[in-house]
Amino acid sequence: MKAIAVTPGKPNSVHLTELPMPSPNDVPRDKGVLVRVLKVGVDATDREINESLYGNAPPGDHFLVLGHESFGVVEEVGRAVRNVKPGDFVTATVRRPGGSIYDQIGTYDMTSEETYYERGINLIHGFLTEYFVDSEDYIVRVPQGLKHLHVLMEPMSCAAKAVQQAFEVQRRMKVWRPRVAYVMGAGQIGLLATLVLKLRGLEVYTLARSRAPTRSSEIVAGLEATYVSTSETPVEELARRVGKADLIVDATGSSEMAFTAMKHLGHNGVLVWTSITGGSHTAHVPTDKINIEWVLGNKLLLGSVNANREHFESGIKDLALGEVMYPGVLQKILTNPVDGLDNYQELMRLLVEEKSALKVYMNVGAE
Ligand code: BGC
Ligand code: ZN
């Protein structure tokens, strides 16, 4: 069967390759699930893997099959599988456990080991192929009624984890009543984080450079949050108007913006960094000023990566509630489809060149 792969270490090496057809029996203890791939989303991680900024092939292979945002239908299951059955729509978690205690209790997203195993990213082949097999432990059911949001399940899991982690660490406050949230960046993670925060009852300001109206500003308004163009309203002015943020999620994709966000957090607040920045950008930061404000304000910086099964499940619940509260809004994130694995060049071209794309994804197989 066909698959889209890169040769790690070689820039712009994306190509079509062949993989053997997998079987549920490839997984021990009859827990295998064979999934026919319907759609796969791509993001900046895939772009940077193709630029050879990171990503490693599985041991023994020279290539890495891309794709970590999966959506498919179950074809066949091993005898011990209980959670899904043929015909179910599913997605799959991305990371697989290493050896640390956190890996062993299902929180592989929190591994304490330097090496991490991620399908389509590091050391394990991804989902940009016709079929894949995995243990039912990593397969998450997607409700019928959400199938139109298909490849958003994985990005949503990362947004859900970022917010969940913020609330988790803020237990240090005994009572934490966050009122104002800033989401920096209105790409897919920023928009999905906007939803998660709205559903938790916060007053959400989603910031991006472009002036409204844009597709992102429409989605933010559709989620009953407030879109702020930083070209019109500098963050300082927003803070004067509505107060500094109790919680900030940075999803700009820019490390400089991630540091800049430190200036806008209120006392006892938490800033969550989610951007994966594979480059080597440097910037000047007012360190004395930030340092004193952070110490005097008991502020907290939290990095958040990946997601485990629990975050996929809570993310899916939030998508379901979001769909009921703001019907038709979330699917506007799914901007740029490409048909068929043969069109991998077009997939990568859109990912690199189409600056207004919120989500580039491939229609791999027909439902
Ligand atoms: C993926 C995450 C992954 C991270 C780091 C992101 O693009 O969505 O699942 O953990 O990259 O590799
Ligand atoms: Zn990703």
Side-chain angles (χ1 to χ4, degrees):
M1 61 177 188
K2 289 178 193 167
I4 301 177
V6 297
T7 310
K10 200 170 139 204
N12 299 315
S13 61
V14 66
H15 61 276
L16 216 50
T17 188
E18 278 289 319
L19 284 182
M21 178 71 191
S23 143
N25 301 326
D26 300 346
V27 174
R29 291 179 284 119
D30 295 323
K31 289 183 67 152
V33 177
L34 174 68
V35 178
R36 186 163 64 83
V37 179
L38 298 177
K39 292 166 196 295
V40 176
V42 287
D43 68 2
T45 297
D46 301 282
R47 177 168 48 73
E48 294 192 341
I49 293 172
N50 191 38
E51 286 167 8
S52 199
L53 293 174
Y54 43 78
N56 289 291
D61 279 339
H62 298 297
F63 63 96
L64 170 72
V65 174
L66 282 178
H68 61 275
E69 301 175 355
S70 65
F71 177 72
V73 60
V74 175
E75 284 272 313
E76 202 186 322
V77 297
R79 267 181 308 141
V81 171
R82 294 287 170 271
N83 296 335
V84 288
K85 59 185 183 306
D88 286 351
F89 293 110
V90 291
T91 185
T93 64
V94 175
R95 212 173 261 198
R96 296 291 168 268
S100 81
I101 177 79
Y102 312 104
D103 294 282
Q104 298 312 310
I105 62 166
T107 57
Y108 36 78
D109 57 311
M110 304 297 277
T111 190
S112 55
E113 298 183 332
E114 289 295 325
T115 304
Y116 56 90
Y117 303 86
E118 289 182 346
R119 289 201 67 160
I121 300 175
N122 210 33
L123 301 166
I124 323 178
H125 288 314
F127 306 116
L128 263 169
T129 176
E130 294 171 63
Y131 294 85
F132 70 85
V133 158
D134 221 323
S135 162
E136 75 161 332
D137 295 349
Y138 311 115
I139 301 291
V140 183
R141 186 157 174 196
V142 176
Q144 279 271 352
L146 284 186
K147 69 176 179 187
H148 62 296
L149 299 182
H150 44 82
V151 300
L152 291 184
M153 304 302 145
E154 196 276 341
M156 184 57 172
S157 72
C158 295
K161 173 182 171 179
V163 174
Q164 187 259 347
Q165 287 276 297
F167 277 78
E168 189 77 12
V169 292
Q170 287 298 74
R171 290 201 210 181
R172 69 185 177 132
M173 297 309 301
K174 315 300 180 227
V175 263
W176 189 49
R177 302 259 167 75
R179 184 176 63 84
V180 173
Y182 296 173
V183 175
M184 312 297 235
Q188 56 164 356
I189 298 292
L191 294 169
L192 294 169
T194 299
L195 170 66
V196 178
L197 291 164
K198 274 296 295 185
L199 295 179
R200 290 206 182 222
L202 279 90
E203 207 178 290
V204 186
Y205 299 88
T206 305
L207 288 70
R209 234 166 320 185
S210 311
R211 285 163 203 269
T214 61
R215 184 176 277 254
S216 289
S217 76
E218 276 166 29
I219 295 169
V220 170
L223 298 174
E224 295 177 15
T226 305
Y227 179 84
V228 179
S229 160
T230 51
S231 326
E232 281 169 1
T233 311
V235 192
E236 286 75 8
E237 192 184 321
L238 175 70
R240 270 194 301 278
R241 253 195 253 159
V242 305
K244 283 191 169 183
D246 301 303
L247 190 165
I248 301 180
V249 175
D250 171 72
T252 54
S254 151
S255 53
E256 185 165 346
M257 290 304 299
F259 275 87
T260 306
M262 297 182 87
K263 295 197 287 187
H264 309 300
L265 188 69
H267 278 204
N268 300 334
V270 54
L271 165 60
V272 192
W273 280 0
T274 68
S275 299
I276 314 269
T277 51
S280 52
H281 183 72
T282 59
H284 285 284
V285 183
T287 50
D288 269 353
K289 189 160 188 301
I290 289 177
N291 184 79
I292 191 170
E293 282 178 6
W294 275 58
V295 171
L296 297 183
N298 289 298
K299 303 178 192 184
L300 185 69
L301 175 62
L302 173 70
S304 179
V305 70
N306 195 249
N308 64 46
R309 182 181 194 94
E310 195 191 305
H311 309 120
F312 272 78
E313 288 171 351
S314 79
I316 286 170
K317 282 184 188 153
D318 278 358
L319 285 174
L321 184 54
E323 196 54 26
V324 174
M325 288 193 56
Y326 317 108
V329 174
L330 294 164
Q331 66 208 57
K332 293 186 185 159
I333 299 175
L334 297 161
T335 48
N336 294 71
V338 174
D339 288 336
L341 290 166
D342 291 325
N343 281 320
Y344 65 96
Q345 293 287 13
E346 175 62 2
L347 186 78
M348 294 318 272
R349 190 193 67 75
L350 285 171
L351 191 54
V352 175
E353 289 173 20
E354 193 51 64
K355 299 292 177 224
S356 68
L358 286 172
K359 183 81 261 165
V360 178
Y361 63 96
M362 180 162 272
N363 291 317
V364 176
E367 215 183 277

